[in-house]
Amino acid sequence: MAIFTGAATAIITPMKEDDTVDFDQLEKLINFQIENGTDAIVICGTTGEASTLTHEEHIECIRACISYVKKRVPVIAGTGSNCTKTASYLSQEAQKAGADAVLLVTPYYNKATQAGLIQHFTQTAKTIDIPAILYNVPSRTGCNILPETAVKLAKEVDNIVAIKEASGDISQVAKLASLSEGCIDIYSGNDDQIVPILSLGGLGVISVVSNIIPKETHDIVANYLEGNIKESLTLQLRYLALMKALFLEVNPIPVKKALQDMKYCTGVLRSPLTEMSEANAAILEREMKKVGIL
């Protein structure tokens, strides 16, 4: 059974002005998401600035999210690292906290060969009993999970069951879908490719834009899977410019700015991320107004 079908929100980690995690605001954001139809919450992913959280903060955020969600939707904990021991430790802590699954990004900076990826993901997944989702985002990590590698992992490691595909390479996703023959669930990791990946057998998206339009992002997937292809495509295209605007600067700078404008967070980012430029913020505001968010 799939961990989720539909749209999972890769939720931000709201910060207070003193740079500490704002748990009250996190709870409000989670309630906003669930009340508006999001199908799962991903905590401590890239959008959640996991790379600048201490291990203690990381685990505290996972525990808090699970507490706030109250089993209304699945909670997927980002626990990946460029260190296998760290990824294993965080994954075990996520399981202890009650996470429904973990999201494991490819090792960044030190990278790895395909053999190294197989070793890393296998060792990490075997330290837990809950499902693991591979996360392929080579633009950020410099490391690509080839389709053959993903299929091998899914077939040989029982709890590696899905992949978040953010390579941006539709041909690669098509090859993965062909080789896998259904042995691994595929989720889009790019908001502008939800419909294309659904057309290749994908089950949904792990989304940035759903931080600000959870219902509409859910509806893109739900309409497609219900056979309302035209309506799904219409929604995908309607929000395409907004999706692009959320990546005018490195994620999560723009989405935090958007949520600040919506009064859901302060917009504070952990260094080395910086405040959005005025020019790009104006473009983002314009696109939000076009679709009626502001």
Side-chain angles (χ1 to χ4, degrees):
M1 180 182 290
I3 298 166
F4 75 94
T5 299
T9 300
I11 204 159
I12 68 156
T13 301
M15 303 287 182
K16 297 179 182 179
E17 295 292 347
D18 64 1
D19 205 37
T20 59
V21 177
D22 190 336
F23 288 100
D24 290 339
Q25 209 62 41
L26 178 62
E27 183 174 17
K28 291 178 184 177
L29 275 169
I30 286 170
N31 287 331
F32 165 68
Q33 289 295 315
I34 296 172
E35 288 164 6
N36 284 277
T38 201
D39 298 289
I41 299 289
V42 176
I43 186 77
C44 296
T46 303
T47 310
E49 297 176 82
S51 58
T52 54
L53 297 175
T54 67
H55 290 172
E56 291 77 17
E57 288 176 320
H58 196 133
I59 295 164
E60 190 176 5
C61 284
I62 293 170
R63 289 172 178 161
C65 179
I66 291 164
S67 173
Y68 301 152
V69 168
K70 297 181 174 66
K71 299 188 181 299
R72 288 175 288 175
V73 296
V75 173
I76 300 159
T79 56
S81 172
N82 64 336
C83 170
T84 305
K85 287 184 178 179
T86 300
S88 298
Y89 165 69
L90 291 173
S91 297
Q92 290 173 66
E93 290 300 315
Q95 177 172 319
K96 290 177 188 175
D100 296 284
V102 297
L103 180 68
L104 301 174
V105 71
T106 47
Y108 40 86
Y109 186 72
N110 49 3
K111 306 192 287 185
T113 63
Q114 296 302 301
L117 290 177
I118 290 168
Q119 175 178 279
H120 172 79
F121 287 126
T122 299
Q123 289 181 0
T124 302
K126 285 190 173 181
T127 66
I128 56 173
D129 300 315
I130 57 177
I133 305 173
L134 307 178
Y135 179 13
N136 191 34
V137 59
S139 65
R140 292 191 78 122
T141 65
C143 193
N144 184 30
I145 305 175
L146 294 178
E148 295 85 352
T149 300
V151 169
K152 181 177 176 65
L153 283 163
K155 288 183 175 179
E156 294 184 358
V157 184
D158 289 343
N159 61 331
I160 293 179
V161 299
I163 184 167
K164 175 185 177 182
E165 242 301 338
S167 67
D169 186 342
I170 290 296
S171 295
Q172 176 167 305
V173 180
K175 184 176 181 181
L176 171 62
S178 176
L179 290 176
S180 70
E181 298 179 324
C183 76
I184 189 166
D185 294 334
I186 301 172
Y187 298 104
S188 176
N190 293 322
D191 288 317
D192 61 351
Q193 294 182 340
I194 302 173
V195 169
I197 287 180
L198 290 172
S199 75
L200 293 168
L203 296 184
V205 61
I206 295 177
S207 172
V208 175
V209 74
S210 60
N211 274 277
I212 57 176
I213 49 167
K215 180 183 184 300
E216 293 82 354
T217 313
H218 162 87
D219 287 348
I220 293 172
V221 181
N223 274 292
Y224 192 98
L225 297 179
E226 290 166 7
N228 303 321
I229 310 301
K230 185 176 180 180
E231 179 62 23
S232 176
L233 180 58
T234 297
L235 287 169
Q236 171 84 88
L237 297 179
R238 181 185 181 205
Y239 294 103
L240 194 62
L242 174 63
M243 294 168 180
K244 293 292 188 183
L246 288 175
F247 287 86
L248 286 168
E249 295 181 20
V250 67
N251 179 46
I253 292 173
V255 73
K256 273 201 159 179
K257 175 58 178 170
L259 285 166
Q260 180 184 17
D261 290 345
M262 294 169 67
K263 313 300 183 188
Y264 275 106
C265 74
T266 61
V268 170
L269 296 132
R270 284 270 172 98
S271 183
L273 297 184
T274 54
E275 187 176 341
M276 196 173 191
S277 72
E278 289 185 11
N280 284 335
I283 295 171
L284 176 60
E285 182 181 357
R286 182 189 71 205
E287 295 304 331
M288 291 173 72
K289 285 180 176 177
K290 279 185 181 178
V291 295
I293 298 172
L294 294 178

